[in-house]
């Protein structure tokens, strides 16, 4: 079965600085990787995904993610953080072996951008 | 654009009561699922459906039932609520099981069992 790890519960960054939210994965075949963001009392919103092709994926709100097959990582990045980026971020992988190819989510990383 | 619609948004239940969380999507997605979100545990799959008339269990199915009589609707039933079912519930849908398809979420249902 596929799995996802987010090694940091919390990431703090100053506004205007670059941010990175880390994600590592374990899959049995080609990975389908996703990032979602959750604002307080809201559902999860899709940010970006990696299916195949270019290792640098660009998504919504200026976010991008870098797929690294050798390190089995899919870190989320943004060149210049905004206070409004403060939220809970989830990395997910599509589980091709179980549950009808549903999604497996990491535990989430809370990002706080300080003014 | 309605997307995935969940009701109710908030609910308080007494132990032993039953209730149904409603979920509807207007995107003609064949794939629908229910997750629960608990602190530090991410989202865990409860039940899923790959099409009308077809449902199956996910990672944490005990205490929940589902049905899929139409493509649009996928209600989640709590049979006899327990405090351990206090959680935030999310319904989600996607176009198909093809690996690259994005999953879309409803706004969530906050359930407290006392």
């Amino acid at each position: 079965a596929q799995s996802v790890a987010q090694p940091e519960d919390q990431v703090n960054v100053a506004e205007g600085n670059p941010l990175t939210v880390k994600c590592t994965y374990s899959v049995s075949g080609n990975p389908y990787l996703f990032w979602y963001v959750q604002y307080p009392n809201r559902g999860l919103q899709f940010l970006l995904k990696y299916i195949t092709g270019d290792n640098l994926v660009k998504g919504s709100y200026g976010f991008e993610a870098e797929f690294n097959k050798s390190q089995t990582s899919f870190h989320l990045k943004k060149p210049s953080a905004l206070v409004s980026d403060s939220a809970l971020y989830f990395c997910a992988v599509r589980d091709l072996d179980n549950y009808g190819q549903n999604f497996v989510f990491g535990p989430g990383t809370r990002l706080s951008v300080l003014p | 654009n309605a997307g995935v619609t969940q009701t109710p948004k908030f609910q308080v239940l007494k132990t032993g009561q039953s209730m149904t969380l409603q979920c509807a999507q207007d995107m003609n997605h064949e794939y629908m699922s229910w997750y629960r979100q608990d602190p530090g545990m991410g989202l865990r799959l409860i039940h899923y459906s790959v099409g009308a008339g077809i449902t199956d269990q996910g990672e944490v199915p005990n205490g929940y039932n589902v049905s899929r009589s139409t493509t649009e609707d996928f209600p989640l039933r709590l049979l006899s609520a327990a405090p351990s079912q206090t959680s935030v519930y999310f319904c989600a849908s996607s176009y198909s099981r093809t690996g690259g398809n994005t999953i879309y979420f409803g706004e969530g249902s906050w359930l407290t069992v006392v």
Side-chain angles (χ1 to χ4, degrees):
Chain A
Q2 335 286 312
S3 65
V4 173
Q6 293 180 244
E8 301 158 317
D9 293 336
Q10 174 94 29
V11 171
N12 297 321
V13 63
E15 187 174 29
N17 283 0
L19 69 87
T20 299
V21 182
K22 296 179 180 177
C23 172
T24 59
Y25 64 89
S26 174
V27 300
S28 57
N30 291 326
Y32 298 95
L33 297 160
F34 300 76
W35 275 102
Y36 285 81
V37 60
Q38 184 182 28
Y39 298 101
N41 298 323
R42 302 294 300 275
L44 278 71
Q45 297 179 28
F46 170 72
L47 279 179
L48 50 80
K49 65 183 177 183
Y50 173 82
I51 305 303
T52 186
D54 195 348
N55 290 343
L56 186 62
V57 179
K58 294 189 181 298
S60 306
Y61 312 121
F63 284 93
E64 58 190 25
E66 186 172 8
F67 171 68
N68 188 315
K69 188 173 184 178
S70 63
Q71 297 185 5
T72 62
S73 67
F74 189 55
H75 300 333
L76 182 70
K77 300 181 179 183
K78 188 173 183 181
S80 179
L82 300 173
V83 172
S84 57
D85 292 330
S86 299
L88 189 56
Y89 290 81
F90 289 96
C91 184
V93 63
R94 192 129 202 180
D95 187 340
L96 302 180
D97 295 333
N98 293 298
Y99 305 131
Q101 297 193 18
N102 222 305
F103 281 63
V104 173
F105 287 85
T109 297
R110 188 164 300 280
L111 173 67
S112 292
V113 181
L114 308 173
Chain B
N1 296 332
V4 180
T5 303
Q6 287 182 238
T7 57
K9 180 85 170 180
F10 300 99
Q11 183 73 48
V12 178
L13 283 179
K14 293 182 179 179
T15 298
Q17 287 185 317
S18 62
M19 77 157 298
T20 299
L21 301 178
Q22 302 291 344
C23 176
Q25 52 90 10
D26 61 358
M27 298 175 281
N28 201 31
H29 285 170
E30 64 178 27
Y31 198 93
M32 296 185 75
S33 50
W34 277 101
Y35 291 85
R36 59 177 288 171
Q37 182 182 22
D38 301 293
M41 302 187 72
L43 279 76
R44 293 181 292 168
L45 181 65
I46 303 172
H47 285 285
Y48 67 96
S49 169
V50 299
I54 306 169
T55 63
D56 210 340
Q57 296 181 350
E59 180 184 358
V60 288
N62 292 339
Y64 308 94
N65 272 355
V66 292
S67 60
R68 184 97 179 269
S69 57
T70 67
T71 299
E72 295 78 19
D73 301 302
F74 190 46
L76 178 72
R77 298 183 186 84
L78 281 69
L79 309 173
S80 177
S84 60
Q85 294 179 303
T86 294
S87 188
V88 184
Y89 292 85
F90 289 100
C91 181
S93 73
S94 68
Y95 183 65
S96 76
R97 280 188 282 180
T98 304
N101 277 280
T102 301
I103 192 169
Y104 296 94
F105 286 86
E107 288 291 291
S109 296
W110 274 252
L111 176 66
T112 301
V113 183
V114 298

